[in-house]
Amino acid sequence: MRIIGGRLRGRRLPVPDQPGLRPTTDRVRETLFNWLAPDIAGSRCLDCFAGSGALGFEAFSRGAAAVVLIERAAAVAARLRENAALLRVAADAPGGQPDVKLDVMRADALGWLEKTDPRPFDIVFLDPPFDQRLIGRACELLQRGWLAPKALIYLESAASEPPPLPAGWRVTREGTAGQVRYALAVAEHG
């Protein structure tokens, strides 16, 4: 995986070999981060089903103030921690942003959202395994104090199954790439 924009652009990071792990493609990430360009600098970001870390690490590279990545699989979470350490070192280099927080949590995302004391995030990435239909429940849990006012939520799902949105959320942008549907929603009542 490679970071496609921001201060760490071009940096390549290893991705663990894990069944079902499908990093968000460069094309989709470029589109998403073009959409997020006015909002990413200084934002607090949560990557709920981190997998390769492509979305959270891209947000880190592009100036987010804090990024939390949540991953359930032990080997994948370990790789994310290693990659996060590499990126922190690069960010501490002259001209970097040493005060940016980049944390990796090994946890089940839904359990973490349910049991952890909520703190508001400006941008949330939801890209769970498609076959497990987790987006609906994740959206419900996010409404328990995890969303800052006017929070933006990225949703990635199978193109054939648009994710259900809670009341007060609306899709502002969307697209498809092959069998993948991606959308950016705003939570009007965070």
Side-chain angles (χ1 to χ4, degrees), residues 62-100:
R62 291 176 185 243
V67 179
V68 176
L69 297 97
I70 304 172
E71 175 54 46
R72 177 178 61 188
V76 177
R79 173 56 69 189
L80 289 172
R81 283 192 184 100
E82 291 169 13
N83 287 343
L86 292 170
L87 294 177
R88 279 191 216 99
V89 167
D92 285 341
Q97 286 182 289
D99 297 332
V100 175

Side-chain angles (χ1 to χ4, degrees), residues 57-156:
F57 292 150
E58 193 74 38
F60 177 78
S61 178
R62 291 176 185 243
V67 179
V68 176
L69 297 97
I70 304 172
E71 175 54 46
R72 177 178 61 188
V76 177
R79 173 56 69 189
L80 289 172
R81 283 192 184 100
E82 291 169 13
N83 287 343
L86 292 170
L87 294 177
R88 279 191 216 99
V89 167
D92 285 341
Q97 286 182 289
D99 297 332
V100 175
K101 297 186 105 186
L102 179 61
D103 297 312
V104 176
M105 312 297 293
R106 181 176 175 252
D108 172 78
L110 297 181
W112 190 84
L113 290 171
E114 195 166 25
K115 295 175 184 164
T116 305
D117 288 334
R119 56 188 187 270
F121 286 89
D122 305 301
I123 299 171
V124 178
F125 303 108
L126 296 177
D127 178 13
F130 293 171
D131 62 343
Q132 296 180 26
R133 294 184 172 86
L134 301 171
I135 285 183
R137 180 68 179 137
C139 291
E140 290 173 20
L141 291 170
L142 286 171
Q143 295 188 107
R144 301 167 107 185
W146 291 104
L147 301 174
K150 304 288 184 187
L152 298 169
I153 304 95
Y154 172 73
L155 308 145
E156 191 169 312

